[in-house]
Amino acid sequence: MHTQANEPQARQHLDLEYQLDQGIGYKAHIGMVVLDCDQTLSYEARAMLTLPGVALYESRIDSGDRGKQPLTADLLREVFNGLDLGIAQINSRRPSDVVALGCTSAAMVIGTGELERRVRNVHPNAAVTDPFKAILAALATLGSSKVGYISPYPDEVAGKMVKQIEDAGYPVPVQATFHRGSFVKEDAPYVSPESIASGVSRLVGIADVDTVVISCTQMRAASVIDDLERRTGKAIITSNQALCWHALRLAGYTDPVGGWGRLFMKS
């Protein structure tokens, strides 16, 4: 006996048992807030934090038309205006162990204490880091004593950051700036890693430093850290590297990770 083509067939249904584990982030849940104009941090963070047991979730916050305005300290104070919503949108299922905030210069201007307060309004138990806080932590961990500083910032912003680094106990005998008229802010994501490496080589050739800080989350410096440390003998700290390293350590992930300089080998 043949079944008619349009006659519904009986469908079997199975109830499946399952077990629960801790999910992707069984070692660390890291939330990251990135400015919508940042073209580098997300890429480099995923390269550095693609580790077993580490979950990285990010949100982006609207920089409005600030990305087209000259970079000043006053402008930087407005960068994290959308922070509360950005933090809430990182992951609605599970609060982050650590919230990492992108933008080195804005974090420096606003201040770590204020940023921590704002994060904990949303996630009271999260540890908090930002690139500038992470750079200072990296300098301490590496035992740095004389620092060379490179950035794409205008003098007002770079000068404030260098002063805060020195106030924290790390003399900066040489400072270098990527410079091309008034467009360097827009150019920052496009400065080649080779240009960054060349700038570091020039800097260490004229000054006695043991560490070089490459500031700005837009700078594509991660790929040249290892080679620069081998060639120059200096420790290299970048905004994105320091932020990712510090987030891992605050989350309790202490394993050394190769490929991203001396800092990632430190617990």
Side-chain angles (χ1 to χ4, degrees), residues 179-198:
H179 181 75
R180 183 184 289 176
S182 61
F183 299 101
V184 70
K185 183 160 67 78
E186 286 74 15
D187 285 349
Y190 306 105
V191 175
S192 69
E194 292 77 15
S195 294
I196 295 170
S198 176

Side-chain angles (χ1 to χ4, degrees), residues 115-186:
L115 290 174
E116 289 182 354
R117 182 190 68 78
R118 291 168 66 179
V119 169
R120 291 193 177 120
N121 283 340
V122 184
H123 289 320
N125 298 318
V128 185
T129 188
D130 62 65
F132 188 63
K133 177 180 179 179
I135 286 170
L136 295 181
L139 290 169
T141 295
L142 291 169
S144 302
S145 59
K146 292 183 181 179
V147 178
Y149 176 87
I150 295 179
S151 81
Y153 306 140
D155 290 345
E156 177 199 6
V157 175
K160 286 179 180 293
M161 192 172 294
V162 167
K163 183 179 186 306
Q164 289 198 30
I165 291 172
E166 291 192 320
D167 288 347
Y170 306 99
V172 182
V174 60
Q175 171 186 338
T177 303
F178 291 103
H179 181 75
R180 183 184 289 176
S182 61
F183 299 101
V184 70
K185 183 160 67 78
E186 286 74 15

Side-chain angles (χ1 to χ4, degrees), residues 11-40:
R11 181 179 294 110
Q12 296 186 66
H13 179 85
L14 300 177
D15 287 329
L16 302 175
E17 301 225 355
Y18 61 91
Q19 296 179 333
L20 298 177
D21 62 18
Q22 294 176 288
I24 296 169
Y26 59 87
K27 289 188 176 179
H29 257 256
I30 296 172
M32 187 169 286
V33 179
V34 184
L35 301 187
D36 62 357
C37 61
D38 194 310
Q39 300 183 66
T40 307

Side-chain angles (χ1 to χ4, degrees), residues 170-231:
Y170 306 99
V172 182
V174 60
Q175 171 186 338
T177 303
F178 291 103
H179 181 75
R180 183 184 289 176
S182 61
F183 299 101
V184 70
K185 183 160 67 78
E186 286 74 15
D187 285 349
Y190 306 105
V191 175
S192 69
E194 292 77 15
S195 294
I196 295 170
S198 176
V200 171
S201 295
R202 284 189 60 193
L203 183 148
V204 301
I206 66 169
D208 177 21
V209 298
D210 54 49
T211 305
V212 178
V213 169
I214 304 167
S215 185
C216 185
T217 60
Q218 295 268 34
M219 301 298 290
R220 292 182 291 139
S223 64
V224 297
I225 294 171
D226 267 0
D227 183 61
L228 278 172
E229 289 191 339
R230 282 193 295 269
R231 288 195 294 105

